Amino acid sequence: MRYQLAPIYCRPWLLNGLTLKLIESHYENNYGGALRRLNAITEQLESLDFAKTPAHVLNGLKREELVALNSTLLHELYFASLGGNGQPTTGMSEILARDFGSLERWRAEFRAMGYALDGGSGWVLLTYVPRDRRLINQYASAHSQSIASGVPILALDMYEHAYHMDFGANARAYVDTFFRNLDWPALEKRCEDAQTVPPPRLLEQPEFGDLQGIGVEEVKEMLAAGKPVQVIDVRPRAAVTRGQDIVEGVQWRDPEQFPQWVGELNKSEPVVVYCSYGFHVGCKTAIKLRDAGFDAKYMNSGHLGMKAIGSKLKIQNT
Ligand SMILES: [Fe+2]
């Protein structure tokens, strides 16, 4: 395959405080150079016989491919970030307030990250993370530290080639100039696009219909807050015997002995049950409880999830 050059997104002659010489050099030499390297690496990879290629050759090429590919993507985003009048849009201000507390708070962090690369190098990015449905400011050093699954929507290039020609060593003045030229309406549109990316799909267990699951954090919060909830560990006896532990404040009940203990539960309080990993035993028990008239849910990551979030454990004998 051959990667195609993207036209420069901003109108260079409209930029305020960044010279044509700097922008042209940046586009031709650094963006163009990355694209040319990417195509050369791709051609080389396509010609390899992987059965005969030494590991160090493949490792080197794949690393360089990642660096060159990210460099092209981030440079395209950098030029698309510029060309505006620096006036935040209402929509973007609201989104930044949602994720950072306020527009000012977001700007303070992003700007400080740029200042902090004075004398260093790398990218400062504003990235949308679909899993968390929120934006985060991040560094991407060496072009290769982008957040997995993240969609970067704003890029500040802090490599020296991005500013030295106009600002010398005054990286702070360059960062301030970047903000003056920020194209907020374009940023808002990219943010709208990014927010249409769905989070990763959750595990589906169609055999249990529309049985409601609940996350481990929510259960832990309910326990800590002393809310009226009956949390029951229903791991199979063999699993408890193997692990010999249980979360503090939780009762273990043998799922095989359901009829013997169901009568001990209080129908006026919700019930949460979980097994080892959040699959069949917990789901089946929750369904039995619901059939018996309880407001019951299963906890979707089980005892394993409780341990993964660092819950306090105690010894449990069976
Ligand atoms: Fe650059």
Side-chain angles (χ1 to χ4, degrees), residues 131-237:
R131 186 194 68 177
D132 306 325
R133 292 194 174 95
R134 63 153 295 171
L135 294 164
I136 188 167
N137 290 328
Q138 64 152 129
Y139 282 130
S141 305
H143 309 289
S144 54
Q145 292 178 339
S146 287
I147 294 171
S149 89
V151 185
I153 60 168
L154 179 68
L156 167 60
D157 188 337
M158 287 306 297
Y159 288 84
E160 266 196 359
H161 66 241
Y163 63 87
H164 204 265
M165 204 181 282
D166 283 358
F167 299 90
N170 193 351
R172 285 180 168 235
Y174 161 67
V175 173
D176 295 342
T177 303
F178 173 82
F179 271 101
R180 276 206 306 282
N181 285 280
L182 213 154
D183 187 345
W184 284 87
L187 173 61
E188 187 173 328
K189 287 196 182 100
R190 284 193 299 275
C191 190
E192 281 170 10
D193 292 344
Q195 290 186 119
T196 64
V197 178
R201 285 176 181 273
L202 294 174
L203 169 75
E204 287 179 12
Q205 301 192 76
E207 63 273 42
F208 298 117
D210 58 358
L211 178 67
Q212 248 191 314
I214 184 169
V216 63
E217 290 91 351
E218 198 178 335
V219 175
K220 196 178 177 190
E221 274 170 30
M222 286 195 293
L223 284 171
K227 287 195 177 166
V229 59
Q230 304 164 91
V231 182
I232 317 283
D233 178 338
V234 291
R235 280 175 292 160
R237 182 177 289 275

Side-chain angles (χ1 to χ4, degrees), residues 26 30 75 157 161:
H26 198 170
N30 304 103
H75 274 106
D157 188 337
H161 66 241

